[in-house]
Each structure stands twice: as structure tokens, then as C-alpha cells.
Amino acid sequence: MSDSQTAGHRIGDGMEVTLHFTLKLEDGTELDSTRDKSPATFQVGDGNLPPGFEHHLKGMSAGQSDTFEISPEHGFGQHNPQNVQLMSRDQFENETPEEGVVMSFSDVSGGELPGVIKSVDDKQVEVDFNHPLAGRTLTFDVEILEVKPATTH
């Protein structure tokens, strides 16, 4: 394909997008950015990005930039108090849980589930299984570099 053919692609389902992004919290704290490293590439609709992020990108094409906010409902969800669990200190036989540390746990189906240690005492450990960005309004600053039909192997 020539450049003139690929230039017309717009972001939508089944498209592969390469972009630079900067992700910030409400207070302007930068959480992540590709600006000083390789750009990110993803396939629209593959489930790797929150729907609210993809929604804002739809219709954009290479060369465009935008800044937008994503509310918790359209990002990583609201913070759910039921996702905070108290576990017996005995369950951490070979590990020393420390406040603020992310640890990996097994869910009921045997998959891995990350949890943040919220508090530790002699008898129990409080673990938060919410996504670390749950309940946060996020600001994305994006620059679209390339949009092309996704190839499936």
C-alpha cells in the first residue's frame, strides 16, 4: 500500500493503532508516558484498554492529537470496598507483606490476581484487589502516529 492509501484510515474496530500517550491523574501527576520511549501499539477492541479510552480515539487518524478526560466509570471503574479483603497473617508463610507493595495472589480459577497491601498487623493483612487506578479520573494526551487494518496470524 502506498502512503496515500494508509493516510485515510480512521480508528475503529479491527484497526491497529500506534500512538504516543501521556497519562495523568486529576492533580497533574504523570503516571505513564511513551513520549521518551517507543510508541504503544494496540488493536481496537482487543480488551487491553478501557472502553472509555478507545471511545475517544474512534474516528481519529494518523497525525492527529487530542487531550481528554476519562471518568472512573469509563476507565478502571469505581473503587469497590468489597474488593478489599482481610486475610490471616498465617497465609503469608514465606513472604513478608509490606504496606504499599503489590503482591500476586491466585484467584478461584487459578489465575493471577494482583493486590496492594493496605495494612499489616500481627494477626491480619488488609489487601486491596481494586485496580490501582479505580475511582480516579484520568487525563490522556495522545498523538496518533499510524492507523492500519489489524493483521491476524
Side-chain angles (χ1 to χ4, degrees):
M1 261 189 213
S2 71
D3 285 344
S4 62
Q5 284 176 298
T6 57
H9 287 303
R10 296 200 173 275
I11 297 174
D13 289 338
M15 299 304 270
E16 183 179 283
V17 180
T18 301
L19 52 71
H20 272 302
F21 73 88
T22 302
L23 170 62
K24 295 179 182 171
L25 291 175
E26 303 94 328
D27 64 4
T29 302
E30 190 174 296
L31 291 179
D32 196 9
S33 179
T34 61
R35 297 276 179 208
D36 52 0
K37 46 192 181 213
S38 298
T41 299
F42 72 97
Q43 187 171 331
V44 176
D46 67 2
N48 284 324
L49 292 172
F53 179 76
E54 289 188 352
H55 170 76
H56 283 280
L57 297 178
K58 290 207 171 150
M60 292 180 73
S61 56
Q64 290 187 298
S65 298
D66 198 7
T67 300
F68 50 88
E69 269 192 2
I70 299 177
S71 65
E73 301 78 39
H74 297 105
F76 294 95
Q78 291 291 359
H79 188 271
N80 183 347
Q82 293 180 332
N83 289 342
V84 179
Q85 311 263 318
L86 281 176
M87 301 173 81
S88 168
R89 186 78 171 79
D90 302 340
Q91 290 179 266
F92 296 84
E93 297 164 4
N94 303 324
E95 300 169 283
T96 306
E98 292 179 44
E99 251 178 70
V101 172
V102 177
M103 294 181 82
S104 187
F105 297 86
S106 294
D107 64 16
V108 289
S109 62
E112 274 194 32
L113 186 64
V116 178
I117 308 300
K118 297 305 268 184
S119 65
V120 181
D121 66 26
D122 295 342
K123 299 203 177 348
Q124 39 190 22
V125 178
E126 186 181 23
V127 184
D128 187 346
F129 290 103
N130 285 289
H131 188 283
L133 296 176
R136 304 302 293 260
T137 296
L138 306 172
T139 298
F140 277 98
D141 179 17
V142 297
E143 177 189 356
I144 310 302
L145 302 175
E146 184 180 29
V147 180
K148 63 183 184 181
T151 52
T152 52
H153 300 287

